[in-house]
Amino acid sequence: MSNPAPPKLLELAAHSLLSNEASALPALEEFTIDLFPPLLTAAFARGHKKALKALVQAWPFPFLRLGSLIVQWPNQDSLQAVLDGLGNSSAPSACPRKSELRVLDLTLNFEQVQSKGASEALARFPFWLPSTVKAEMPQATAKPKPVEDVRKGPNQPWEPVELHIDLFLRGPFKLDAFLSSLLTKVERSHGSLRLCCRKLHIEEMPFNSLIGILKTLELDFIQELEVFDWFRALSEQSLFATQLGRICNLRSLKLAYYHWTFPPEGEQCLQAPLHALEIRSCTLLDTDITYLSQSLHATCLRKLDLSGNNLSYMVPGPLETLLAKISGTLQHLDLNHCRLKDSHLSAILPALCLCSHLGSLGLSDNPVSRAGLLSLLEHTAGLMELKRVLYPIPIECCMYLHGLSWGPVNKGRLCQVQAEMQRLLQAVQRADMQWSPPLPSPLPVRLVQLD
């Protein structure tokens, strides 16, 4: 077992300086800028709140990313000190701040989430939703142009600071202390702080609280929105659609577990076409599918997930029309637990085979027979980019009740079907395709989502 690397000389110097904050902090203006990063790391590690506040107030760079420090030392008091260091935003007419900071990034990337200690950080910060892919954050190496704030006029002597954060908001709703402080500070900043949330997850949240938070966020920054909730009144749904219309850069929308009614024909609540749309267990109607096929999203969708909706009565009909419309761009399709039988698969196969860029397909929990499964494999073998298929357990191998597969699974029969599928894959020279059944379970099979 290798010994940990000894601390660098610069790190030792930083810890030594912070051991006497009273003498170190007044000298910040005389420090060279290369001392600031190790000083900040040391202050975060040791929980020096006064030092953190002072370092942010004198930060000599336009960009400050704290994700790795949050994972290593998850301490809300330290984050609060950083927030306090953003200055007295309630008085933007004061002298310009010494800090050059323009973007404070509190998001976590994929590597940080996978690293040791990430689970502890997430447990202590329940409002965080780490990105599962690397976020393409706006460039912050150069100072942005001053933003004209109509509330204060075009000649304010300060530039706004962007706070980048991914939010996970789940009920029963009670604001986390740090998040509450953050929202209050942004609201009282009169535009000097801009709360920029790239990914926003909302679950079982009081509607008034939701609208209040949306009004605090910079809506044009949101790219991914997930809503797991029930809107109890049409007026709430209408108001939420209005807020959606203000999110001009939204690229991914996930809705789940409530009845969603799309706007009337001709009305578009979203300004830009989506790249990913997931509408799961939302009791979709055939008019909703028709609306999607005629919307601006139809020619841009890369991912579509309609799992958990009964689509059986939409075939033949609007479902294959929608698939044909999105065939030019679609890369991931999930139709798990949609009550699709052999006849339904046969009806959508022509449209499905047009999806030349399709890379993954999810069809688990659909009452399909062995013959229907083999037919699906044979017809989709020509889709050369299709590498992963999550197929349903055939009806010969288990019982289906109310659209769900129930155990126990006849493993002997399932092995026979899998052997037939492997022989067929070899016959059509598609050994590169991975066909997998859902994980076995003695309980009804739950929805399985492809990555």
Side-chain angles (χ1 to χ4, degrees), residues 204-224:
E204 297 181 6
M205 184 176 178
F207 188 76
N208 290 336
S209 299
L210 165 61
I211 296 301
I213 288 181
L214 287 178
K215 289 180 179 179
T216 306
L217 297 176
E218 297 291 329
L219 295 184
D220 57 353
F221 199 87
I222 299 176
Q223 297 181 32
E224 301 178 43

Side-chain angles (χ1 to χ4, degrees), residues 62-75:
F63 197 90
L64 175 56
R65 183 187 294 274
L66 293 181
S68 60
L69 301 184
I70 293 169
V71 170
Q72 287 182 270
W73 301 288
N75 188 317

